[in-house]
Amino acid sequence: MDFDGKVWPLAGGFGRYTRLVAAASWLPNVCVSLGFFSEFLYTSSPESQCQGGPCGGDNSSSPGATLINSSTCPGAWGVQAQSWLHGTIVTQWHLVCENGWKVPLEQICYLIGWLWGYIIFGLVCDRFGRRNGFISALVVALPLGVALCFSPGYLSFMAIRIVFGAALSGIFLSFYIARLELCPPGLRLMITMIGGFFWLGGELLLPGVAVLCSDWKVLQGAISGALLLLSGYWCCHLLFPESPRWLLATRQLNRCKAELCLFSRANGIDTGEDFAGRESLFTEIDSLWRGFPRPRYYSFCSLVGTRLIWRNALILGFTTFIGSGIRPCFARNLMALGGSTPYFLQAGSEVLACISLCITVNHWGRRAVLLLFTILTGFCSLLLLALTQYLFTAVSIAISVLGSLSSHAVVMLSVFYASEVLPTVIRGSGLGIILGLSMLGRASFPMIVLQQRSGFFLHHVVFSSFCILSVLSLLLLPETKRKALPDTLRQGEGLRRPPLLLQATQDAVPLLSHGKPRADYNPDSYAQLASSTKKMIRSNSTHGQDNKALTND
């Protein structure tokens, strides 16, 4: 059924209650963002020195440093810890010198935890629902967040941290999908971008919280306390109801009717006339599946039989991977500024990226803006790759900030674009894999650090080449601006790419006349192409026979 055009308006559409639920879904982004970016403070590499000189330590990720007593450090090395946190896992377990490799290893494991969390909880969201996906992730995150504060050693900390990251990713994914499925086509982008601003708010809030906490264990306790507040979404069904769109798409009719009635009453449209309209709607829903239909669930493996959905998911997953993996190429140049400046420069560029998307995407369309930012990312990357040694420092930093902005825009828009292209029945698992690829891209840089930075130049070359390749593949994507979300695999297959030119001359049938377009011929509706062509051929054949008869007369 036409959910956006027929079902959802009778339940109040984007009424006052629906707007409240969408706004409530923004707040968890702050809590999850604090947990995600805390990794940079927990594992920031301090600068180590001794009487003989530097120890090969790297303060490139330290937003500030203060000298602490050398007796904290084996071998009489002096360690500089961040001014935001006076105690980190690096200083507590002496992860410097010969133990320095444990820092990037922990960063890789944490990002891999997020990757697997996206995949696992994406499957949970498609099988058990968006709300149940959130509840299961929260049940895992709360005890593990507290357990991290009492980690006795490095290995236990890393093991708990992996599962904790997976749980955080499940919380983020559940709210992202549920929020998107409540919004009408014209407001999907804006509601999603506001959620992005809340995510960035958590990133900007983290340094202040870290200063107040001083130690990483206290900071972890504060993050766990923030996650505890999310239990209100679990206890209060009104704050996070199940998605009626997903219930209808998976044939859970009774639960779908209950949720539609809930939205209708809460939106304040439960009048006699509207109730009669709902009853007729429920009758029509029942007529689609006679008797007692069994719920039907899908997974990402269902894409095997599709021709277009898997291609669109592959392209957008590839673009997300590139945007995340190429960001360290720009961040590395910003680290030359030292202090807290690189952290806030990157956060500021992310804010500007969100603003740019809000301004441009609804005007120019998803495909055109994604193509623009991908080209801009590749251009900035190639400039740094070829001309870094010839550029002034200020110019190099300016290009790096622009590249960081465009690459973040690529990631955000690719994920949003994928959520519109993927059908409701597999949106959780499909989007989970695409977000997991973004974590894999982020993990590429600590992998290089683990190898003592020996492959950074190759990393830069490879991702710059990938940018050029992705530009060509983006031309195959459909445009989803102001279109309803696809709910079934068939609807997802119906999303076709628009013509590259303003005049769709390639869709003209060569063997037929090119006069005024017929009313029964629609080149964008391929399902009706065969029948329309037969009608046109039959009409032309009849017209030809009439002309022949007139000639014989």
Side-chain angles (χ1 to χ4, degrees), residues 391-461:
L391 296 175
F392 293 106
T393 303
V395 177
S396 178
I397 290 175
I399 296 175
S400 299
V401 171
L402 181 61
S404 180
L405 184 154
S406 58
S407 61
H408 185 73
V410 166
V411 175
M412 288 195 67
L413 185 53
S414 296
V415 174
F416 174 71
Y417 204 166
S419 66
E420 292 187 320
V421 169
L422 292 168
T424 300
V425 292
I426 57 168
R427 185 168 292 124
S429 54
L431 199 60
I433 291 179
I434 291 174
L435 284 168
L437 288 174
S438 71
M439 294 297 107
L440 185 62
R442 283 180 176 268
S444 60
F445 184 69
M447 290 179 184
I448 295 174
V449 176
L450 189 62
Q451 299 174 358
Q452 299 180 350
R453 301 179 181 266
S454 58
F456 184 81
F457 180 78
L458 180 61
H459 171 272
H460 200 160
V461 172

Side-chain angles (χ1 to χ4, degrees), residues 318 321-323 325-327 329-330 374-386 456-471:
F318 182 56
F321 171 74
I322 294 170
I326 205 172
R327 295 200 71 196
C329 303
F330 305 119
T374 305
I375 293 174
L376 186 59
T377 301
F379 179 71
C380 294
S381 178
L382 291 175
L383 280 180
L384 292 178
L385 190 63
F456 184 81
F457 180 78
L458 180 61
H459 171 272
H460 200 160
V461 172
V462 169
F463 276 91
S464 298
S465 305
F466 281 169
C467 269
I468 300 174
L469 180 60
S470 66
V471 168

Side-chain angles (χ1 to χ4, degrees), residues 53-325:
C55 171
D58 184 10
N59 66 341
S60 59
S61 59
S62 300
T66 55
L67 184 66
I68 62 177
N69 196 306
S70 61
S71 61
T72 65
C73 181
W77 293 93
V79 181
Q80 290 182 332
Q82 287 190 19
S83 57
W84 294 347
L85 283 179
H86 296 294
T88 67
I89 66 169
V90 177
T91 58
Q92 178 171 351
W93 294 312
H94 313 307
L95 305 182
V96 292
C97 305
E98 67 276 3
N99 292 324
W101 60 272
K102 295 182 180 180
V103 174
L105 178 62
E106 196 280 333
Q107 293 173 343
I108 294 171
C109 292
Y110 183 62
L111 293 173
I112 295 300
W114 275 74
L115 186 155
W116 283 109
Y118 278 131
I119 296 175
I120 294 173
F121 286 103
L123 293 172
V124 173
C125 287
D126 283 343
R127 178 59 179 83
F128 301 101
R130 285 56 169 136
R131 175 177 170 81
N132 289 331
F134 155 71
I135 293 174
S136 58
L138 184 64
V139 168
V140 175
L142 285 177
L144 292 181
V146 177
L148 279 172
C149 302
F150 303 97
S151 301
Y154 169 78
L155 291 179
S156 61
F157 173 86
M158 185 171 63
I160 298 174
R161 189 79 170 157
I162 292 172
V163 187
F164 179 71
L168 290 182
S169 66
I171 296 175
F172 174 82
L173 181 63
S174 302
F175 277 102
Y176 190 96
I177 299 174
R179 181 192 313 123
L180 182 86
E181 293 177 346
L182 292 177
C183 301
L187 295 177
R188 281 200 303 261
L189 174 72
M190 191 60 62
I191 298 300
T192 302
M193 289 300 108
I194 294 177
F197 284 118
F198 274 80
W199 173 272
L200 296 175
E203 182 181 1
L204 293 172
L205 184 64
L206 179 62
V209 178
V211 170
L212 293 176
C213 295
S214 181
D215 187 78
W216 75 268
K217 291 186 177 181
V218 181
L219 177 59
Q220 179 60 40
I223 295 173
S224 301
L227 292 175
L228 182 62
L229 298 178
L230 300 185
S231 59
Y233 292 83
W234 178 7
C235 300
C236 183
H237 185 84
L238 290 175
L239 282 178
F240 191 12
E242 188 54 83
S243 170
R245 182 188 297 271
W246 174 77
L247 293 172
L248 183 60
T250 54
R251 303 182 183 181
Q252 302 181 64
L253 303 188
N254 291 332
R255 291 184 61 192
C256 178
K257 293 176 185 178
E259 292 295 339
L260 289 175
C261 289
L262 169 65
F263 275 91
S264 178
R265 290 192 299 268
N267 282 321
I269 63 167
D270 196 9
T271 63
E273 181 180 354
D274 293 326
F275 183 79
R278 273 202 319 277
E279 286 297 317
S280 63
L281 172 64
F282 292 165
T283 303
E284 185 174 353
I285 292 176
D286 291 334
S287 66
L288 292 178
W289 296 284
R290 297 186 181 278
F292 300 94
R294 297 182 59 184
R296 185 174 182 182
Y297 304 103
Y298 298 81
S299 66
F300 197 76
C301 297
S302 304
L303 294 183
V304 175
T306 64
R307 294 190 302 116
L308 298 179
I309 301 177
W310 73 267
R311 186 194 69 185
N312 298 333
L314 178 63
I315 293 173
L316 291 170
F318 182 56
T319 309
T320 305
F321 171 74
I322 294 170
S324 299

